[in-house]
Structures are given as structure tokens and as C-alpha cells.
Amino acid sequence: MSEPAEFQLTTRDWNDEWKRLQQTRRRFDDADYWDKRAATFSTKDAPNPYVERFLELAGIEPGETVFDMGCGTGALSVPLGKRGHKVVAADFSRGMLDQLRTALDREGISTVILKQMSWQDDWPSFGVRPGAADVALASRSVATADLKDSLLRLTDVARRRVCVTLATGTSPRTDERILNAIGLKSVLGRDYLYAFNILANEGLRPEVAYIDSTRTDTFDSTDDAYGVFTRMVNDATAAFIGEEERAAAFVRLRAWLADNLVANERAGRPDKKGIPEKALRLREPRVVTWAFLAWNI
């Protein structure tokens, strides 16, 4: 008698593969890293196209309560608070939450409750219990070692719907155009595909849409740009490409920058975060595509 057939798509442990993938990537950022970055973030110019599209796809109904995990400085929590929603906004970075508190006070919003809490914490001990909100959100924040656990935690908290965004490429920090141009490849995680398969194998029915986010990186000088992109290359490839191969790629990077850096006509004007733009920019802005996944409970 033959053994029953097993099929990779439904029997594969996608979360185990996700965990192994994380070992080839740069280390996860801790709260101290984001505390230091918090000062460069601002919600003054929100809503922005990404936020508007996220909230459109989320379909949050009037009067619904929201849990915003990995809220940062409040890209979603602030506009939701303006609309009158009661929001629990959680982040492990005190610096991010301090920036969010400033934004809420500036806007006179009193319906957003802040919690300093990580993905790994015991959420019920912070008052975030099963069924705590109508809708649970995680915008560009599911950078966790255990993807299945994170997705199911959100599912447990939500009464009606969960919405998340994940990278469709290597990482939002990695410009794959440049890696390809200098002859290198990175690990293409396609994070959203892991999430989709994990959810499907849990019997959930995730829907998928895409949000394009344009990023105009600016630099003080060619050397400044070179430093930024050598760090990017090291983060994206150091785990599996040797020093000699990367050194040769850095030579090609210098040539690529000579052809692709141009004067920035907006130099000195505030960018989306309120920081003055620098003297140089890339000829073509970088487009980061996020996968929006949502599922109803």
C-alpha cells in the first residue's frame, strides 16, 4: 500500500522557513535603535498617500475601536483619533510614543491610549486582551522573529478584522535597483507571501492589495551617498557574500553613483518628515511596494 501523498504548499512549515530566513538578515532593531530615530519622525504632514490608502483598504467603520501595534509616531493613530475612534496605540520605543504624545496633544486628541509594549510581551498584562478591539492594525511593523505568533496575536485581539502591511521585496531599507546594478543579489524574503501562506494554513482568508510608497533619498555629497549605500549593501549581503566580492561591488557603486546622482532642486526645503532636503538626490526616486493583507474574523 502506497504512502499518502504530501504536498509542499499545504504541508510546508512556512513559519519555520521564516525563522531560518531571519538568520540571514540583519539583526532585529531594538527599542534603543528606534528611540534614537524617533526625533527624525513626524506626523505633521499626515495623512500621506500611504496612510490614506491603508485606511481606505482597512475599511474601519464609524465608532469602531482600533488596536495599532507598532504604532511608531502615530501615522495611523493620529488620523484615526481625529476621526473619533478609540485607539490603543502600542510600541516598544518610548521615544516613538513620546513623539506620538506630542502630536496628540498638538491636535487635541484624547481618544488614543498609549502603551509601551513589544510583540513578545504578555499583552493581557498590559490590558490588551482577546477581543479587545474591533480592528487590529500593524502597519510596516511585523518585523518579528516568529511571524505566525505575531499574526495570530493580532487575530486574537480583533473582534472583526485585522490589517497589516509587509514588504514585497528584500526590505524597505534595501534598494534592489542598486544591488542589481553593481552585480549583487540579496535574499528576497517576500515577507507577505510567508504571511499569506501561514494565514491560509490557519484557515483564515487573507485578501491582498498593494501600496506604493515613493522615497526620495537625498545626500550632502557623493561621499555621503556612498557611505549610505555601502552600509545598505553590507546589511543586505554580508551574511552570504564574501568581502572580496563586496569590495569589487563597491568600486562599481562609485561608478553607478557618478551616473545617477543629480542636483536636488528641493535642497533646503523640508521633506515629508520636516527635515531639510540635502544637495543631491538619485535621478529616479525609489519606490517601495508594500503588500496590504487583511482578514476578517
Side-chain angles (χ1 to χ4, degrees):
M1 184 176 178
S2 61
E3 293 292 324
E6 288 192 353
F7 303 99
Q8 283 286 305
L9 188 61
T10 54
T11 62
R12 191 185 196 98
D13 188 336
W14 295 99
N15 200 51
D16 180 67
E17 183 169 314
W18 167 270
K19 291 177 180 178
R20 287 187 285 113
L21 174 63
Q22 305 320 303
Q23 302 305 311
T24 69
R25 292 177 163 178
R26 69 194 296 278
R27 67 175 179 80
F28 289 108
D29 297 319
D30 57 19
D32 287 342
Y33 171 86
W34 289 107
D35 286 346
K36 293 172 184 176
R37 291 199 66 193
T40 69
F41 282 67
S42 171
T43 56
K44 292 181 180 179
D45 297 314
N48 59 41
Y50 170 89
V51 170
E52 291 173 347
R53 182 60 174 153
F54 186 106
L55 293 177
E56 177 187 357
L57 292 167
I60 300 168
E61 298 173 358
E64 286 194 310
T65 57
V66 178
F67 173 60
D68 182 8
M69 183 59 196
C71 62
T73 57
L76 297 178
S77 291
V78 170
L80 286 169
K82 283 183 178 180
R83 297 179 186 182
H85 293 281
K86 293 182 179 179
V87 181
V88 172
D91 203 287
F92 69 173
S93 167
R94 171 48 56 188
M96 290 290 182
L97 293 176
D98 288 344
Q99 291 286 328
L100 174 51
R101 170 53 60 200
T102 298
L104 294 172
D105 291 344
R106 183 174 63 244
E107 299 290 344
I109 298 169
S110 60
T111 58
V112 178
I113 298 172
L114 309 188
K115 293 184 181 292
Q116 187 175 1
M117 183 180 80
S118 76
W119 284 97
Q120 292 75 34
D121 282 331
D122 176 23
W123 291 4
S125 70
F126 288 82
V128 182
R129 299 181 175 85
D134 294 305
V135 181
L137 310 176
S139 170
R140 304 182 287 198
S141 66
V142 195
T144 59
D146 191 331
L147 181 58
K148 179 179 177 179
D149 179 70
S150 299
L151 297 173
L152 294 184
R153 279 174 177 243
L154 293 172
T155 303
D156 200 36
V157 167
R159 291 192 291 269
R160 184 179 74 84
R161 186 166 169 81
V162 182
C163 307
V164 305
T165 44
L166 296 107
T168 61
T170 304
S171 161
R173 297 170 176 165
T174 301
D175 193 330
E176 292 171 16
R177 300 173 305 169
I178 297 177
L179 292 183
N180 292 335
I182 64 176
L184 297 179
K185 291 184 178 179
S186 60
V187 174
L188 293 177
R190 308 298 189 206
D191 292 0
Y192 76 108
L193 293 180
Y194 286 92
F196 185 94
N197 285 322
I198 289 169
L199 292 165
N201 285 343
E202 289 295 313
L204 297 164
R205 300 173 61 184
E207 59 196 62
V208 184
Y210 299 94
I211 305 175
D212 287 336
S213 178
T214 301
R215 301 191 177 186
T216 302
D217 303 309
T218 65
F219 313 93
D220 287 321
S221 64
T222 300
D223 285 341
D224 178 28
Y226 179 78
V228 168
F229 291 124
T230 54
R231 288 190 293 274
M232 179 201 75
V233 169
N234 284 328
D235 284 344
T237 67
F240 55 96
I241 291 178
E243 290 186 14
E244 185 175 338
E245 186 176 353
R246 276 184 289 128
F250 291 151
V251 174
R252 295 190 290 272
L253 175 60
R254 285 281 190 189
W256 188 88
L257 289 173
D259 290 337
N260 287 275
L261 282 176
V262 298
N264 179 20
E265 62 280 4
R266 287 180 47 87
R269 297 171 63 181
D271 63 13
K272 292 179 181 178
K273 297 178 182 177
I275 299 171
E277 293 193 18
K278 298 176 182 179
L280 301 175
R281 63 172 175 82
L282 293 179
R283 190 182 306 277
E284 297 295 332
R286 181 161 57 104
V287 177
V288 177
T289 300
W290 296 93
F292 175 95
L293 276 70
W295 57 102
N296 294 327
I297 308 304

